Amino acid sequence: MSIATALLLAGAALPAADRAAIDSRVQGIFRTYTLPPNPTPVWDQPIFSAETAALIAHWKRVQPADEPDALNDGDWFCLSQDYDQKGFTATPTPARRLGAGVAEVRVRVNLGFGQTRDERIVLKKGPGGAWLVDDLFARPDFPQGLKAKLRQTIAEDE
């Protein structure tokens, strides 16, 4: 291995405490799908970075009250309205550092009846060191990311 390759790999490594905190956050997000349904929609949970939370707040102010729009007709992390609570699994890869205070985790989601989805979650270190979801990429729902979809849906709803 060259010195340059070793330095690149070392730069991508996260400290153990960050890896554990990210793993805990991701496990916590997906654990909810194996429990009785949570009446709080994912967009109302305090798991998002400040920028993403601000976009969500804007979207909630402009979304139509009488019909679903492009974002409130399904769950953002399981990317479906339907899943089998007993068979649901989420298999994350180890977190990978993208930059200072930014990491990503790739997750294979099995909805419990043989249907799988692949996601990429980008997390940012927030106040107090908490790792928060900054963006979510998945096909077909969020190929350019959740933040891009929020911006697009806000424009459509306004």
Side-chain angles (χ1 to χ4, degrees):
M1 176 184 317
S2 73
I3 292 173
T5 302
L7 288 173
L8 278 174
L9 291 174
L14 285 161
D18 286 335
R19 286 193 316 268
I22 291 168
D23 185 54
S24 178
R25 170 68 69 198
V26 172
Q27 293 297 331
I29 289 168
F30 289 103
R31 185 177 309 109
T32 62
Y33 300 100
T34 63
L35 302 171
N38 185 347
T40 304
V42 69
W43 49 81
D44 286 337
Q45 296 176 21
I47 60 171
F48 295 98
S49 69
E51 180 183 358
T52 305
L55 283 168
I56 291 168
H58 187 166
W59 164 69
K60 287 170 55 177
R61 284 191 304 272
V62 300
Q63 67 179 307
D66 55 345
E67 63 187 67
D69 65 11
L71 283 170
N72 64 4
D73 64 345
D75 186 276
W76 296 349
F77 287 97
C78 79
L79 304 170
S80 179
Q81 293 179 348
D82 301 311
Y83 59 91
D84 176 13
Q85 176 183 336
K86 291 184 173 134
F88 183 94
T89 60
T91 309
T93 62
R96 184 174 77 90
R97 180 182 158 165
L98 296 180
V102 181
E104 77 170 2
V105 174
R106 293 179 183 268
V107 183
R108 163 73 45 104
V109 175
N110 182 329
L111 298 177
F113 36 76
Q115 191 174 10
T116 60
R117 309 226 194 283
D118 292 316
E119 304 177 10
R120 184 171 67 93
I121 302 172
V122 176
L123 300 107
K124 276 191 177 176
K125 202 172 208 178
W131 284 91
L132 301 167
V133 175
D134 188 57
D135 216 341
L136 169 65
F137 297 84
R139 292 190 182 274
D141 301 77
F142 309 125
Q144 274 76 48
L146 173 61
K147 290 195 301 191
K149 188 68 168 184
L150 278 161
R151 289 181 186 102
Q152 174 189 353
T153 304
I154 288 166
E156 292 168 359
D157 288 350
E158 285 185 314

